[in-house]
Amino acid sequence: MIRCIAVDDEAYAANIIADYISKIPFLELVGKTTSPIEAINWVQEGKVDLVFLDIQMPELTGIQFLKICGSRCKVILTTAYPEYALEGYEHDVIDYLLKPIPFDRFYRAVTKAQNILKAPKQPEQTALPPQENIPAATAPTPDYMFVKGESKNKFLKVAYSDILYVEGLKNYVSLYLPGQRLVTYQSLTDLAEQLPQPPFYRVHRSYIISIDKVSMVDGNTVYIADKEIPVGETYRDGFFSMIREKSRL
């Protein structure tokens, strides 16, 4: 069971989230509150795995809450203000739900949270001893890359085979992996130069996809897992030329 709390300065909004939580078998409602201070106490007491958190609150904003408690629990932001999405993802939130929140969208977010919370923690990486130089002609092609984490000297190793697709967010990119989203400070254009082609193809000014992960192409839409990704006009000719070649039409 994932222990949850609903935090919103408007009681009716917290009640909606609490009602949604009660409908999902793997969630347990620990409490609901209009006070972020009370919510912080619950988190610090170790009672909470997942917080549904409003952003605009008078005592303490959601972003301030994240700076205090973000490392001790997972957070799904709930708000009527889409302009805070990027800042929220900088603090490693699981998802960002815009009010009014449909139940199906809520369910997708908590399924993502379930996948992340039940995933085994990765062991800390130890420094590797220096390797002897390998001649260029025999050096293997890397099947992974490192992306910058939230702190200055933190880098995360990402296998190319795990990447479903990449989304550009101004000067940030989001890498979508099964049950996980990584946000790193980098432009989509720079990342495109790092990713091997194939299997990666840029299909839109905001998206790069792994062709290996595509389940269907329908018109100008690519389907990967539960995501619908548009194919931009600039990229259509090259993309569909590749699709026709692979289908031998």
Side-chain angles (χ1 to χ4, degrees):
M1 297 288 286
I2 298 174
R3 300 170 299 168
C4 307
I5 58 174
V7 187
D8 199 302
D9 64 319
E10 296 178 331
Y12 80 90
N15 289 337
I16 290 173
I17 296 297
D19 180 61
Y20 282 0
I21 291 171
S22 70
K23 297 180 188 312
I24 299 178
F26 56 82
L27 300 184
E28 175 189 356
L29 180 65
V30 174
K32 59 183 177 181
T33 181
T34 57
S35 168
I37 305 300
E38 183 177 23
I40 286 175
N41 290 334
W42 290 342
V43 172
Q44 292 179 337
E45 290 169 4
K47 298 178 179 179
V48 182
D49 303 311
L50 179 62
V51 180
F52 294 89
L53 179 67
D54 187 27
I55 288 182
Q56 292 281 41
M57 295 181 289
E59 288 182 296
L60 196 72
T61 70
I63 300 301
Q64 291 170 329
F65 184 102
L66 284 167
K67 291 177 180 178
I68 296 171
C69 294
S71 62
R72 305 193 64 171
C73 61
K74 293 298 183 182
V75 173
I76 294 176
L77 292 176
T78 61
T79 180
Y81 302 94
E83 61 267 26
Y84 292 102
L86 180 59
E87 188 173 3
Y89 283 124
E90 288 177 19
H91 292 280
D92 199 28
V93 300
I94 288 178
D95 211 335
Y96 191 96
L97 302 180
L98 286 176
K99 300 175 182 177
I101 303 167
F103 181 76
D104 64 323
R105 181 68 182 86
F106 179 88
Y107 189 86
R108 290 203 303 272
V110 298
T111 301
K112 187 187 302 184
Q114 183 188 38
N115 290 334
I116 291 172
L117 287 167
K118 74 179 182 181
K121 292 184 177 180
Q122 297 297 319
E124 292 186 4
Q125 298 294 321
T126 56
L128 297 174
Q131 301 293 313
E132 294 183 5
N133 292 331
I134 302 175
T138 61
T141 302
D143 56 1
Y144 61 87
M145 65 179 180
F146 285 92
V147 297
K148 192 176 185 308
E150 66 272 14
S151 61
K152 181 179 178 181
N153 294 316
K154 183 176 181 179
F155 293 87
L156 305 172
K157 184 179 180 180
V158 179
Y160 294 138
S161 60
D162 287 340
I163 300 173
L164 302 175
Y165 63 93
V166 182
E167 181 180 6
L169 302 166
K170 294 185 178 180
N171 293 325
Y172 292 82
V173 292
S174 292
L175 288 81
Y176 288 84
L177 289 67
Q180 186 179 13
R181 176 179 184 171
L182 301 177
V183 180
T184 184
Y185 185 79
Q186 188 175 9
S187 73
L188 193 65
T189 299
D190 289 343
L191 184 63
E193 295 177 356
Q194 292 180 252
L195 295 171
Q197 300 179 25
F200 293 97
Y201 289 86
R202 188 164 185 173
V203 297
H204 189 276
R205 65 180 182 178
S206 299
Y207 290 99
I208 297 171
I209 65 167
S210 171
I211 195 67
D212 293 342
K213 309 299 183 183
V214 173
S215 58
M216 180 174 65
V217 179
D218 186 5
N220 293 320
T221 304
V222 175
Y223 293 82
I224 297 179
D226 61 351
K227 178 69 174 179
E228 299 179 11
I229 298 173
V231 180
E233 184 175 355
T234 304
Y235 305 91
R236 285 175 193 167
D237 289 347
F239 177 70
F240 285 108
S241 175
M242 178 272 298
I243 291 294
R244 283 191 291 270
E245 181 181 340
K246 288 186 176 293
S247 61
R248 297 184 181 180
L249 293 179

